[in-house]
Amino acid sequence: MNPLIQSNAIPAAGASPARPLDPGTTQALEAQVLVAGGGMTGVATALAAARGGASVILCQDRPVLGGNASSEIRMNVSGASIKGTPLASERRESGIIEEIMLECSVRNPQRSASMLDLILYEKCRAEPGLTLLLNTTVTDVRMDGDRIASVYAARESTEDRFLLTADLYADCTGDGRLGYEAGAAFTTGREAEEEYGEPAAGPNRDSHRLGSSLLFQTRDMGRPMPFEAPPWARRFTEEDLRLREHSKWEYGYWWVEFGGMRDTIKDNEAIRDELLAIMLGVWDHIKNSGHHPESANWALDWFGFVPGKRESRRFLGRHVLTQRDLEEAEPFADTVAYGGWPLDTHPPQGIDAAGEEPAKQPYAPYLYSIPLGAMISRNVANLTFAGRNLSATHIAFSSTRVMATCAAMGEGLGTFAALAAAAGLPPGRASQDAALIRRTQQRLLRQGAYLPGHALEGNLGRLAQVRASSEQPDGPAANVVSGHTRAVHGPHGARPELAPPGTHRWMAAPDDPSPWLELTWPEPVDVRGITVVLDTGLHRRLMLCHLDALQEEMGWGRPQPEALRAWRLVAETADGTTRTIAEVQGNYQRMRRFEAELRGLRRLRLEALETNGLDHARVVELFCE
């Protein structure tokens, strides 16, 4: 066996011995789905599973949720978005991560990192079927043959121990702690080119990884602010940093990177110490080298003590995602997410590779699909995983690792997990059930997620005549029942055969004083729910970022102007009864669902009352079921 491809021994049969439980300090908890890891991936996985009807335990080893995006680390939640893409290429992730970012933008114009912590915490607390365990670390597992029978976890802050039992286990820990304890096959380091036919890989396999980073934030204090570096800080010259842009400093630098030549798990403490020395050394250079006199009034306001880790273990699943998968972007039968970040590799020496660019970032030509098979362990029967421990080569991982992509795959995994748990099927068998996979994909689309090449099905609105008070040539009213909820046929969009052209939304005329959209059925239909999908500017980036230059471009701190702020839904049934289903004010979200038992529905009208700034009303989809 290659030393960098590992599989811990799993008992051939029978359960491993149970540890004695102290009834005074040990709590036994059960759920259908256990999610280990509360970063953006784990939160999306847990929310999707809970909203899908499963009972869920979310176990997070830190006091806050969000992982690398949390107030402890403060990395950007990046994904498929590209700066300045046209409307024809709406790449931004939707679904749960869009819901979170839209709320954070509106509620957090001050760009507080702790507000994102709070929003994630609130989202989890709002789900009655979700049990949240913060400051709780997975420490061991109890196996029953090739299955996880239960998980041991510890919360030192309360001196409690937990025995956690579930039908399906999802490792979203990043480092893969749960799967490692279960003996799941995994790999580390960089594959050789010949292993998977990857031109971007090197000629030989090695143990090198992407390094970790520490960020900092600074403030202009309006008066001279001296800085004295500790004696152990590194020293850097302008020549050392000539390939690393450092003319702006309010939000530190991702290229303050170290640890790729070491074990990013076992050496994490030593890596943190060196990163502190590097980060403070870079700031010392900015403040005291004489090359940046404009920094005189700036002072450190915050800096991290928890490394933002990029790479450690990658599990081996039923499919290993490769460079070819990303570049060819062929659809998978079990697609549950997508990506679009560049193939973003870094020199493993990090900042010590002073003569190299800190990153190589070629874009794949299309948005690419991520299959469920890359999230299911090949040797532990009830283990799944998502996030940066995805089953992928180092080259493919260099794109899939970013947090918005990880959240998208988390939503895909959580949605699947709820359906598999309801069917009483282990993940391996469930993933081979074509009908269950189709239900997973359709549920994801109904939740607002995007899957390349897939369209919404089952919309009773397609049986209706669609008309509107006005429409622009490229935004006809009939678009609202097309089944496609974004335009992705432009530059860097989806493969042409997977992306029908058009805007896929109704756009009223700018001079329409009272815009409305109406569905009329020739034969009455029975409807139990209505979902309105709105335009929220998916062609632009939207993420909590402490870099000032990006804020205006994103429109952070206010609703996206394309979204309808206020509207009314009015239904008319076959007996001539008319009633208002909903009247919405102050909206900034992309999706709103309304439960409504409507028997004999003849006509449904959406009256657009106000946008969030755009000069005309837009609706992307009107879904009736």
Side-chain angles (χ1 to χ4, degrees), residues 20 24 26 73 90-91 109 134 172 182 246 250 274 328 354 362 367 396 407 430 440 446 452-453 466 528 553 581 589:
T26 300
I73 300 174
E90 296 179 295
R91 297 167 55 96
L134 294 175
C172 303
H246 56 286
E250 73 270 20
E274 189 64 17
E328 296 182 357
L367 297 176
T440 298
R446 293 187 188 192
V466 186
R528 68 178 186 274
E553 169 203 324
I581 301 301
Q589 284 290 350

Side-chain angles (χ1 to χ4, degrees), residues 96 111 224 226 230 244 264 267 270 272 299 328 335 412 466 473 504 518 583 624:
I96 287 175
R111 290 185 284 156
R244 288 156 173 80
T264 51
D267 295 333
R272 185 270 324 284
E328 296 182 357
T335 294
V466 186
H504 300 294
E518 191 171 84
E583 185 153 354
C624 301

Side-chain angles (χ1 to χ4, degrees), residues 68 73 75 212-214 268 271-272 275 304-309:
N68 278 344
I73 300 174
M75 291 284 186
S212 304
S213 292
L214 280 184
N268 193 50
I271 290 169
R272 185 270 324 284
L275 280 170
F305 273 80
V306 181
K309 192 180 296 183

Side-chain angles (χ1 to χ4, degrees), residues 1-23:
M1 177 181 292
N2 190 303
L4 296 177
I5 300 179
Q6 305 178 32
S7 176
N8 298 336
I10 295 178
S16 54
R19 295 182 176 183
L21 302 181
D22 181 347

Side-chain angles (χ1 to χ4, degrees), residues 318-399:
R318 298 188 171 211
H319 180 83
V320 178
L321 208 64
T322 68
Q323 179 183 353
R324 178 171 296 178
D325 290 329
L326 271 58
E327 291 182 339
E328 296 182 357
E330 291 283 357
F332 295 95
D334 60 344
T335 294
V336 293
Y338 77 99
W341 185 255
L343 280 71
D344 183 7
T345 57
H346 301 189
Q349 302 89 343
I351 198 169
D352 291 326
E356 296 183 50
E357 295 286 347
K360 296 178 180 177
Q361 298 178 314
Y363 276 97
Y366 310 112
L367 297 176
Y368 57 83
S369 296
I370 299 175
L372 184 65
M375 305 181 200
I376 296 179
S377 174
R378 64 174 56 172
N379 70 317
V380 179
N382 55 349
L383 176 67
T384 63
F385 35 78
R388 60 183 179 84
N389 57 24
L390 184 75
S391 177
T393 65
H394 171 81
I395 296 299
F397 155 87
S398 72
S399 173

Side-chain angles (χ1 to χ4, degrees), residues 104-112 551 556-558:
C104 189
S105 174
V106 172
R107 290 178 54 190
N108 188 21
Q110 69 272 31
R111 290 185 284 156
S112 163
Q551 301 316 300
W556 186 266
R558 58 185 182 272

Side-chain angles (χ1 to χ4, degrees), residues 54-198:
S55 57
V56 179
I57 297 171
L58 174 56
C59 186
Q60 162 71 332
D61 64 353
R62 305 298 301 176
V64 293
L65 298 163
N68 278 344
S70 75
S71 61
E72 294 187 311
I73 300 174
R74 308 192 185 190
M75 291 284 186
N76 297 332
V77 180
S78 297
S81 296
I82 303 175
K83 179 180 179 180
T85 53
L87 177 62
S89 186
E90 296 179 295
R91 297 167 55 96
R92 194 171 84 222
E93 293 78 9
S94 49
I96 287 175
I97 188 62
E98 170 80 344
E99 171 191 332
I100 290 168
M101 283 300 136
L102 288 170
E103 185 160 348
C104 189
S105 174
V106 172
R107 290 178 54 190
N108 188 21
Q110 69 272 31
R111 290 185 284 156
S112 163
S114 294
M115 278 298 296
L116 178 57
D117 297 343
L118 176 62
I119 288 168
L120 297 174
Y121 176 74
E122 289 178 348
K123 293 288 182 187
C124 291
R125 283 198 60 172
E127 296 301 326
L130 195 162
T131 299
L132 176 62
L133 301 177
L134 294 175
N135 292 307
T136 305
T137 304
V138 169
T139 59
D140 204 352
V141 302
R142 180 171 175 260
M143 298 298 296
D144 183 1
D146 66 349
R147 296 180 65 258
I148 300 172
S150 53
V151 168
Y152 297 99
R155 187 169 63 202
E156 297 301 333
S157 61
T158 58
E159 300 179 359
D160 279 319
R161 300 293 181 267
F162 297 92
L163 182 67
L164 309 175
T165 303
D167 300 322
L168 183 149
Y169 296 84
D171 189 331
C172 303
T173 61
D175 283 346
R177 177 68 186 272
L178 172 57
Y180 176 77
E181 297 294 342
F186 68 95
T187 186
T188 60
R190 305 186 296 187
E191 291 84 2
E193 177 182 356
E194 65 178 12
E195 290 184 56
Y196 293 96
E198 296 181 300

